[in-house]
Amino acid sequence: MKLPKVVEDLTNSFEKLPGIGRRSAQRLAFYLLRVPQKDLDSFAHSLTNLKKLTKICTICHNLTDQEQCAICSDPSRDGSQVCVVESFQDVLAIEKSGSYHGVYHVLHGSISPLNNIGPDELYIDTLILRTKKLTVKEVILATNTSLEGEATALYIQQALNDIKVKISRIGRGLPTGVEIEYADDQTLVHAFGTRKIL
Ligand code: ZN
């Protein structure tokens, strides 16, 4: 049976999302046909504005709708500690755990030669610039414990070698391969508390 074109188009869009197959995509499209029009309008509005109304923090590259994110502009955060993470989701997970009161630096990925992602594709140059400022006393490497995360941590450690700053790595208590994003609060609290000075 040939579906109306708009349903077909929507299904194709859903199918492009991570983890969504053809059947799930179709189920979502059919589900939305039963949703009130005002909810659909609101959904469409959010999609249209998702990229227009968000920005990347000019200091730490976290997600924000201002020039600087809420964490960078919070004077109660300890600017002498910079926690380096791969993604926005990692910031959310660490914030939720309440284990950390410094600021962040979001790399937007990890070094992955298989996916053609090298250091130049990540926000490592701005991390080096930030670290050179006298206010930074410790850089906490909180990339994932995956192969890519470890390679990224090692690369950054070497890149910061000439700068007089304490470098530490979280991870003890964080099982190998467990992503920060999915780690539970207790594990993250432990991982920060037992971080190892490199
Ligand atoms: Zn920021």
mmCIF file of all heavy atoms in Angstrom, residues 57 60 69 72, ligand 1:
data_model
loop_
_atom_site.group_PDB
_atom_site.id
_atom_site.type_symbol
_atom_site.label_atom_id
_atom_site.label_comp_id
_atom_site.label_asym_id
_atom_site.label_seq_id
_atom_site.Cartn_x
_atom_site.Cartn_y
_atom_site.Cartn_z
ATOM 1 N N CYS A 57 28.936 27.442 24.078
ATOM 2 C CA CYS A 57 29.605 28.385 24.994
ATOM 3 C C CYS A 57 30.982 28.759 24.439
ATOM 4 O O CYS A 57 31.758 27.890 24.042
ATOM 5 C CB CYS A 57 29.745 27.741 26.375
ATOM 6 S SG CYS A 57 30.724 28.713 27.522
ATOM 7 N N CYS A 60 33.769 27.137 27.186
ATOM 8 C CA CYS A 60 33.947 25.689 27.404
ATOM 9 C C CYS A 60 33.320 24.822 26.326
ATOM 10 O O CYS A 60 33.470 23.615 26.345
ATOM 11 C CB CYS A 60 33.389 25.305 28.769
ATOM 12 S SG CYS A 60 31.577 25.272 28.825
ATOM 13 N N CYS A 69 27.882 29.642 28.881
ATOM 14 C CA CYS A 69 26.924 28.714 29.487
ATOM 15 C C CYS A 69 26.689 29.057 30.966
ATOM 16 O O CYS A 69 27.415 29.855 31.561
ATOM 17 C CB CYS A 69 27.405 27.278 29.346
ATOM 18 S SG CYS A 69 28.758 26.852 30.445
ATOM 19 N N CYS A 72 29.859 28.365 33.219
ATOM 20 C CA CYS A 72 30.948 29.348 33.084
ATOM 21 C C CYS A 72 30.569 30.694 33.692
ATOM 22 O O CYS A 72 31.430 31.425 34.176
ATOM 23 C CB CYS A 72 31.322 29.527 31.628
ATOM 24 S SG CYS A 72 32.250 28.153 30.951
HETATM 25 ZN ZN ZN B 1 30.787 27.322 29.352
#
